Amino acid sequence: MSSSRLHTPTPNAGPSKRSPLPKPKDKAWVEPAALPDDSDVDIASIGGTAPDYVKQLACNTFYAYGVGDPDAFGYAVGRATRFIDISVDRRMERAGRLEATTVAELTVTRQMLNGAGMLHGGCVTYLIDNCCSTPLVALGIYQGTNGVGVTQGMNVLFHAPAPVGSQLRIISTSISMGGRVMTSRCEIVDKASGRVVASAFLNKMQPQAAKL
């Protein structure tokens, strides 16, 4: 989508259009089910095994909180990011573990470059912070818990440059979902060459209400 286009969300789908969600065990500081459906998200175009309501709510959270309003930092980059797959793998469910994976794509534009004409490290970190959070959000929605949280820390490795016009694929997978701390991993790959541009581990935590 054009970066000049304003984000105009539409109201949430009613209960008859969305599978009922279990209530999170604890009151969430950000509740994905309370967010408006993003008008630019076409759920039919997103592959993967996650139910449609999980795909929709995960995208709503990404664009409403990860990207924000048009005057927010990195807005054009965030809005240019499109999800093509959101999946929940249930093969480990008997062992008490589920795994979620999201795949997003975008093309490197001039506004994402550094002075050397390559994808800026700060832009890479912005993409990882937002995209690597989405499998945790999706898994939380699927399980009826909250996977939004706030970033506690990330470990980013830069492997190869990405010039303007590069088509990137961002593959993010959940690792663990604890009561307060959650972890995921991410790779940014050049679609044409298969070369890894960057990789990272991300830790998120649930914020606690301040005690007066």
Side-chain angles (χ1 to χ4, degrees), residues 4 7 14 19 83 85 104 110 120 137 143 153-154 164 211:
S4 62
H7 167 44
S19 299
F83 287 91
D85 190 286
R110 293 190 60 83
H120 196 292
V137 173
Q143 293 180 321
M154 67 177 80
V164 66
K211 296 182 180 179

Side-chain angles (χ1 to χ4, degrees), residues 6-210:
L6 293 181
H7 167 44
T8 53
T10 57
N12 267 333
S16 62
K17 298 181 180 180
R18 174 175 291 163
S19 299
L21 296 178
K23 293 182 179 180
K25 297 176 182 178
D26 300 312
K27 185 177 180 180
W29 73 285
V30 173
E31 177 50 65
L35 298 174
D37 285 350
D38 190 281
S39 60
D40 291 325
V41 173
D42 178 13
I43 295 302
S45 69
I46 301 176
T49 61
D52 284 351
Y53 77 91
V54 172
K55 295 176 183 178
Q56 182 70 65
L57 295 183
C59 288
N60 292 348
T61 306
F62 176 87
Y63 292 113
Y65 283 92
V67 177
D69 296 325
D71 57 350
F73 174 82
Y75 176 82
V77 176
R79 293 304 305 186
T81 306
R82 298 283 98 182
F83 287 91
I84 63 168
D85 190 286
I86 299 178
S87 294
V88 175
D89 188 347
R90 300 182 58 182
R91 288 177 293 182
M92 296 290 291
E93 191 168 15
R94 290 185 178 179
R97 179 173 179 265
L98 291 172
E99 183 178 272
T101 299
T102 65
V103 182
E105 293 185 345
L106 84 160
T107 300
V108 177
T109 62
R110 293 190 60 83
Q111 65 188 18
M112 303 178 193
L113 305 181
N114 58 22
M118 298 297 169
L119 180 63
H120 196 292
C123 187
V124 170
T125 305
Y126 169 82
L127 290 168
I128 289 171
D129 188 23
N130 284 338
C131 292
C132 203
S133 300
T134 55
L136 299 173
V137 173
L139 191 56
I141 294 166
Y142 186 83
Q143 293 180 321
T145 59
N146 189 269
V148 180
V150 294
T151 298
Q152 184 182 41
M154 67 177 80
N155 182 12
V156 182
L157 294 176
F158 300 94
H159 302 284
V164 66
S166 299
Q167 292 188 321
L168 303 180
R169 176 165 287 179
I170 307 167
I171 306 158
S172 306
T173 305
S174 63
I175 297 176
S176 64
M177 287 277 288
R180 290 225 42 219
V181 178
M182 307 167 283
T183 306
S184 56
R185 63 181 181 271
C186 177
E187 280 190 348
I188 300 180
V189 178
D190 186 305
K191 284 182 62 179
S193 65
R195 182 174 53 183
V196 178
V197 174
S199 61
F201 286 92
L202 177 73
N203 273 10
K204 298 185 77 71
M205 63 182 294
Q206 296 291 358
Q208 290 183 325

